[in-house]
Amino acid sequence: MIVVLPLPSALLRWTRRAWPRTRPPRPPGEAGPPINQLYHARRLSLVRLAILLVDDLPTAEDVVQDVFAALYRRHGADLQALTDPDAYLTTGVMNAARSVLRRRRSARAYLPPPPVVVPAAEDEALLGHGDAQVLAAMRRLTTRQRQVLVLRYWSELSEQEIADALRVSRGTVKSTVNRALAILRGLLEDSR
């Protein structure tokens, strides 16, 4: 679905000033192939169209260049097989701009996987076998269970202080500690 929004007149005036419609004069007697004439006649207006679609000058220029290159590859420099090159170019720029926007949307939607946290080598060397087993079992708990156990047994907070810190009730803290300890006992018994 394409949504066409009216553009502010200030933006249109700016694009016209930035890329005037006049083209540089050609040397007298040099006409060149039809694709060159078409390029000099239509490039700036197509760049204006593309910049309004993709909102980026370098990308807009790339889109127009790609469309002209595709036109040359498909029909050659004489363009005799093409009945309406202006329509071909306009349609090509519109489609290429849509492809650019689609790629941008896909790139922005991609979320890289979170980095894997690997403990330092010296940390693992200094840990005893039992400590490594406890840490491995702790990693299998839920985040809330780990938080409650660390606050209770490492930071030595009371149940009420943990409840205040995590914004849960005191009963939730008690039940979470009991469930987490039961899971830890089971995991550590299985590993022995």
Side-chain angles (χ1 to χ4, degrees):
M1 177 169 101
I2 298 173
V3 178
V4 178
L5 299 173
L7 295 172
S9 59
L11 179 62
L12 290 173
R13 283 192 306 272
W14 177 79
T15 57
R16 287 186 183 119
R17 270 186 276 131
W19 300 283
R21 290 184 185 260
T22 60
R23 62 178 190 196
R26 299 188 62 95
E30 181 186 328
I35 195 161
N36 286 354
Q37 295 169 359
L38 186 62
Y39 179 80
H40 289 291
R42 294 281 291 145
R43 185 184 78 80
L44 292 177
S45 63
L46 291 172
V47 169
R48 281 189 207 108
L49 171 67
I51 199 168
L52 292 174
L53 295 172
V54 298
D55 225 13
D56 177 21
L57 176 62
T59 305
E61 289 175 341
D62 289 345
V63 163
V64 172
Q65 288 289 20
D66 291 344
V67 171
F68 270 103
L71 175 68
Y72 179 76
R73 277 193 309 271
R74 185 166 177 112
H75 297 286
D78 60 356
L79 304 178
Q80 289 182 3
L82 194 59
T83 56
D84 190 4
D86 288 332
Y88 182 95
L89 290 171
T90 303
T91 302
V93 168
M94 296 288 288
N95 290 338
R98 280 192 211 109
S99 295
V100 165
L101 294 175
R102 218 175 294 120
R103 282 191 299 272
R104 278 186 191 168
R105 185 175 55 232
S106 297
R108 288 179 185 149
Y110 173 72
L111 294 174
V116 178
V117 178
V118 179
E122 60 268 6
D123 290 344
E124 290 202 10
L126 294 175
L127 286 177
H129 180 65
D131 294 336
Q133 287 179 334
V134 170
L135 289 176
M138 287 282 288
R139 286 187 198 105
R140 297 182 65 187
L141 296 176
T142 65
T143 304
R144 175 60 57 89
Q145 289 171 341
R146 277 189 305 239
Q147 289 172 343
V148 169
L149 287 181
V150 167
L151 291 174
R152 180 76 173 119
Y153 296 106
W154 182 262
S155 299
E156 298 178 354
L157 296 180
S158 69
E159 291 171 350
Q160 188 59 49
E161 291 171 330
I162 297 170
D164 293 340
L166 298 178
R167 295 184 179 147
V168 294
S169 68
R170 188 172 173 207
T172 302
V173 172
K174 283 182 178 181
S175 63
T176 305
V177 167
N178 288 335
R179 270 191 236 117
L181 288 176
I183 292 170
L184 274 179
R185 281 187 202 103
L187 291 172
L188 292 174
E189 286 174 6
D190 290 344
S191 66
R192 289 183 187 168

